[in-house]
Amino acid sequence: MDIGKVLISADEIDEKLTEMGAAITRDYEGKDLLLIGILKGAFVVMADLARHIDLPVEFDFMAISSYGSATKSSGVVRILKDLDQEIADRHVLIVEDIVDTGLTLHYLLKNLQVRKPASLELAALLIKDGVERPPLEVRYEGFHIPPKFVVGYGLDLDGKFRNLPYVAEVEGAD
Ligand code: IMP
Ligand code: MG
C-alpha cells in the first residue's frame, strides 16, 4: 500500500492545534489540568497541542489495544498501560488522534468516569464523518474527515507512517 493524497497539511494542523490550545487555555484558566494521551497514536498530537496550552498542565498516558484488522476497529479494548496517577477530583482532558467508531473513547470514558474526576472532556484531532458511533461529545475537535483510512501525525498502518508530519490517505486501504 502507498501513501495517497495529503488530506491535511502540517501547516493546517499547526494552525488548528493553536486554536484548540487557545480554547483549552481559556477554559481551564485557574484550574489544575491533567492531559491524558492515548498511546500510541496520540503522542504526536499530545506533544504539539500541549505546547499551545499556556497553563501548568500535567501529563499522563494510557496504552490501549483495540483488536481488529490493520484498518478496521473491532471495539474490543484492552488496557496495556494504565495511568500512573489517580484522577479523583482532577480536571482531566483526554487527547486522542482520531475518533472512528468511537468505541475506544466510549470504553475509556466509562472506565475513567468511575474514578470520579472533577471533570472529564475529550480533545481529538480528527473525527471521521459518516460513521455510526455511540453518543460522544468531543469538546475540542480538529478536523472532520471522510470515513477513509488515514496515516501520519501519529496514525499508523501496521505500525508505520506515524512520523509523517501531515495526514494522508492510504491507497488501496478501504
Ligand atoms: P475507534 O474506532 O474510534 O475506537 O478508533 C480506535 C483507534 O483506531 C484510534 O485511536 C486510532 O489509533 C485507530 N484508527 C482509527 N481510524 C484510523 C485511521 O484512519 N488510521 C489509523 N488509525 C486509525
Ligand atoms: Mg492505531
Side-chain angles (χ1 to χ4, degrees):
M1 276 182 267
D2 290 318
I3 298 303
K5 101 175 180 246
V6 174
L7 259 193
I8 309 170
S9 71
D11 283 349
E12 288 170 317
I13 295 171
D14 186 57
E15 205 175 302
K16 185 64 80 177
L17 292 181
T18 306
E19 285 169 22
M20 291 166 73
I24 292 166
T25 303
R26 268 196 310 276
D27 294 352
Y28 289 92
E29 177 91 65
K31 289 181 179 148
D32 196 18
L33 177 61
L34 175 67
L35 298 177
I36 296 182
I38 309 305
L39 297 172
K40 305 179 179 117
F43 82 102
V44 180
V45 182
M46 179 95 156
D48 287 348
L49 175 63
R51 280 177 286 181
H52 289 295
I53 301 175
D54 189 15
L55 297 170
V57 296
E58 287 176 48
F59 291 68
D60 206 339
F61 293 92
M62 277 178 102
I64 301 287
S65 153
S66 114
Y67 293 101
S69 68
T71 62
K72 295 261 176 339
S73 152
S74 69
V76 181
V77 173
R78 190 162 58 109
I79 296 182
L80 302 178
K81 181 216 167 288
D82 206 336
L83 298 173
D84 290 338
Q85 49 192 302
E86 312 245 324
I87 58 166
D89 303 320
R90 302 289 312 267
H91 291 284
V92 173
L93 178 60
I94 300 177
V95 179
E96 249 294 32
D97 47 6
I98 190 165
V99 181
D100 182 6
T101 64
L103 293 167
T104 307
L105 281 175
H106 186 72
Y107 170 86
L108 268 181
L109 283 173
K110 273 199 300 188
N111 184 288
L112 295 180
Q113 204 75 63
V114 174
R115 310 182 196 188
K116 302 261 187 292
S119 68
L120 182 60
E121 299 291 347
L122 296 176
L125 180 68
L126 305 172
I127 319 266
K128 278 192 199 173
D129 281 337
V131 180
E132 260 194 68
R133 62 175 69 100
L136 206 61
E137 199 203 319
V138 183
R139 169 73 65 91
Y140 307 98
E141 52 178 41
F143 302 91
H144 284 259
I145 61 168
K148 290 198 168 160
F149 196 80
V150 293
V151 292
Y153 212 79
L155 292 158
D156 72 301
L157 172 63
D158 273 345
K160 303 241 165 41
F161 307 122
R162 294 191 197 273
N163 57 319
L164 296 178
Y166 48 80
V167 173
E169 288 178 0
V170 179
E171 270 163 20
D174 297 291

